[in-house]
Coordinates of all heavy atoms in Angstrom, one line a residue:
K4 N -0.3 8.2 1.6 CA 0.0 9.5 1.4 C -0.6 10.1 2.7 O -1.5 9.6 3.4 CB -0.9 10.1 0.4 CG -0.5 9.5 -1.1 CD -1.1 10.3 -2.2 CE -2.6 10.1 -2.1 NZ -3.5 9.1 -2.4
V5 N 0.1 11.1 3.2 CA -0.4 11.9 4.4 C -1.8 12.3 4.1 O -2.2 12.8 3.0 CB 0.4 13.2 4.6 CG1 -0.1 14.0 5.6 CG2 1.9 12.7 5.0
G6 N -2.7 12.0 5.1 CA -4.1 12.3 5.0 C -4.9 11.1 4.7 O -6.2 11.1 4.7
D7 N -4.3 9.9 4.2 CA -5.0 8.7 3.9 C -5.8 8.3 5.2 O -5.3 8.3 6.3 CB -4.2 7.6 3.4 CG -3.8 7.7 2.0 OD1 -4.2 8.6 1.2 OD2 -2.8 6.9 1.5
V8 N -7.1 7.6 5.1 CA -7.8 7.3 6.1 C -8.1 5.7 5.9 O -8.5 5.3 4.9 CB -9.1 8.1 6.4 CG1 -10.0 7.5 7.5 CG2 -8.7 9.6 6.6
I9 N -7.9 5.0 7.0 CA -8.4 3.6 7.1 C -9.3 3.5 8.4 O -9.1 4.2 9.3 CB -7.3 2.6 7.1 CG1 -6.3 2.7 8.2 CG2 -6.5 2.7 5.8 CD1 -5.3 1.7 8.3
L10 N -10.0 2.3 8.3 CA -10.9 2.0 9.6 C -10.0 1.1 10.5 O -9.1 0.4 9.9 CB -12.2 1.3 9.2 CG -13.2 2.4 8.5 CD1 -14.4 1.6 8.1 CD2 -13.5 3.6 9.3
S11 N -10.4 1.0 11.7 CA -9.8 0.2 12.7 C -9.6 -1.3 12.2 O -8.5 -1.8 12.7 CB -10.2 0.4 14.0 OG -11.6 0.1 14.1
D12 N -10.5 -1.9 11.6 CA -10.3 -3.2 11.3 C -9.0 -3.4 10.4 O -8.2 -4.3 10.6 CB -11.6 -3.8 10.4 CG -12.8 -3.9 11.3 OD1 -12.6 -3.6 12.5 OD2 -13.8 -4.3 10.8
E13 N -8.8 -2.7 9.4 CA -7.7 -2.8 8.4 C -6.5 -2.3 9.3 O -5.4 -2.9 9.2 CB -7.9 -1.8 7.2 CG -6.6 -1.9 6.2 CD -6.7 -1.2 5.0 OE1 -7.7 -0.7 4.7 OE2 -5.6 -1.1 4.3
L14 N -6.6 -1.4 10.1 CA -5.4 -0.9 10.9 C -4.9 -2.1 11.8 O -3.8 -2.3 11.8 CB -5.9 0.3 11.9 CG -4.8 0.7 12.9 CD1 -4.0 1.8 12.4 CD2 -5.4 0.8 14.2
K15 N -5.7 -2.8 12.4 CA -5.3 -3.9 13.3 C -4.8 -5.0 12.4 O -3.8 -5.6 12.9 CB -6.6 -4.5 13.9 CG -7.2 -3.6 15.0 CD -8.5 -4.2 15.6 CE -9.0 -3.3 16.7 NZ -10.3 -3.8 17.3
M16 N -5.2 -5.2 11.3 CA -4.6 -6.2 10.3 C -3.1 -5.8 10.0 O -2.3 -6.6 10.1 CB -5.4 -6.5 9.1 CG -6.8 -7.1 9.3 SD -7.7 -6.9 7.8 CE -9.4 -7.1 8.4
R17 N -3.0 -4.6 9.6 CA -1.6 -4.0 9.3 C -0.7 -4.0 10.5 O 0.4 -4.3 10.4 CB -1.9 -2.7 8.6 CG -2.5 -2.8 7.2 CD -2.5 -1.4 6.6 NE -3.1 -1.6 5.2 CZ -2.3 -2.1 4.1 NH1 -1.0 -2.4 4.3 NH2 -2.8 -2.3 3.0
W18 N -1.4 -3.7 11.7 CA -0.6 -3.6 13.0 C 0.0 -5.0 13.2 O 1.2 -5.1 13.4 CB -1.6 -3.2 14.1 CG -1.0 -3.0 15.4 CD1 0.1 -3.4 15.9 CD2 -1.8 -2.4 16.4 NE1 0.1 -3.2 17.3 CE2 -1.0 -2.4 17.6 CE3 -2.9 -1.6 16.4 CZ2 -1.3 -1.9 18.8 CZ3 -3.3 -1.1 17.7 CH2 -2.6 -1.2 18.7
A19 N -0.8 -6.0 13.1 CA -0.2 -7.4 13.4 C 0.9 -7.8 12.3 O 1.8 -8.4 12.7 CB -1.4 -8.4 13.4
W20 N 0.5 -7.4 11.0 CA 1.6 -7.7 10.1 C 2.9 -7.0 10.4 O 4.0 -7.6 10.2 CB 1.1 -7.3 8.7 CG 1.8 -7.7 7.6 CD1 2.7 -7.0 6.7 CD2 2.0 -9.1 7.1 NE1 3.2 -7.8 5.7 CE2 2.9 -9.1 5.9 CE3 1.6 -10.3 7.5 CZ2 3.3 -10.2 5.3 CZ3 2.0 -11.4 6.8 CH2 2.8 -11.5 5.7
G21 N 2.8 -5.8 10.9 CA 4.1 -5.1 11.2 C 4.7 -5.7 12.4 O 5.9 -5.8 12.5
E22 N 4.0 -6.2 13.3 CA 4.6 -6.9 14.6 C 5.2 -8.1 14.1 O 6.2 -8.5 14.9 CB 3.4 -7.2 15.5 CG 3.0 -6.0 16.3 CD 2.0 -6.4 17.5 OE1 1.3 -7.5 17.4 OE2 2.0 -5.7 18.4
L23 N 4.8 -8.7 13.1 CA 5.5 -10.0 12.7 C 6.8 -9.7 12.2 O 7.7 -10.5 12.1 CB 4.7 -10.7 11.5 CG 3.4 -11.3 12.0 CD1 2.6 -11.7 10.7 CD2 3.5 -12.4 12.9
H24 N 7.2 -8.4 11.8 CA 8.5 -8.0 11.4 C 9.4 -7.4 12.5 O 10.5 -7.0 12.3 CB 8.4 -7.0 10.2 CG 7.7 -7.5 9.0 ND1 6.3 -7.4 8.8 CD2 8.3 -8.0 8.0 CE1 6.2 -8.0 7.6 NE2 7.4 -8.3 7.0
S25 N 8.8 -7.4 13.7 CA 9.4 -6.7 14.9 C 10.3 -7.8 15.7 O 9.8 -8.8 16.0 CB 8.4 -6.1 15.6 OG 8.8 -5.9 17.1
E26 N 11.5 -7.5 16.0 CA 12.3 -8.2 16.8 C 11.7 -8.6 18.1 O 11.7 -9.8 18.6 CB 13.7 -7.7 17.0 CG 14.6 -7.6 15.8 CD 15.9 -6.9 16.2 OE1 16.5 -7.2 17.1 OE2 16.3 -6.1 15.4
R27 N 11.0 -7.5 18.7 CA 10.5 -7.7 20.0 C 9.2 -8.4 20.1 O 8.9 -9.3 20.8 CB 10.4 -6.3 20.6 CG 9.8 -6.3 22.1 CD 10.2 -4.9 22.6 NE 9.2 -3.9 22.0 CZ 8.0 -3.4 22.4 NH1 7.6 -4.0 23.6 NH2 7.3 -2.6 21.9

Side-chain angles (χ1 to χ4, degrees):
K4 298 185 308 282
V5 171
D7 284 351
V8 175
I9 61 174
L10 293 179
S11 54
D12 288 358
E13 182 178 348
L14 172 98
K15 291 176 185 179
M16 295 171 200
R17 291 183 175 281
W18 182 341
W20 190 248
E22 285 189 332
L23 294 173
H24 295 88
S25 159
E26 291 178 46
R27 187 169 64 95

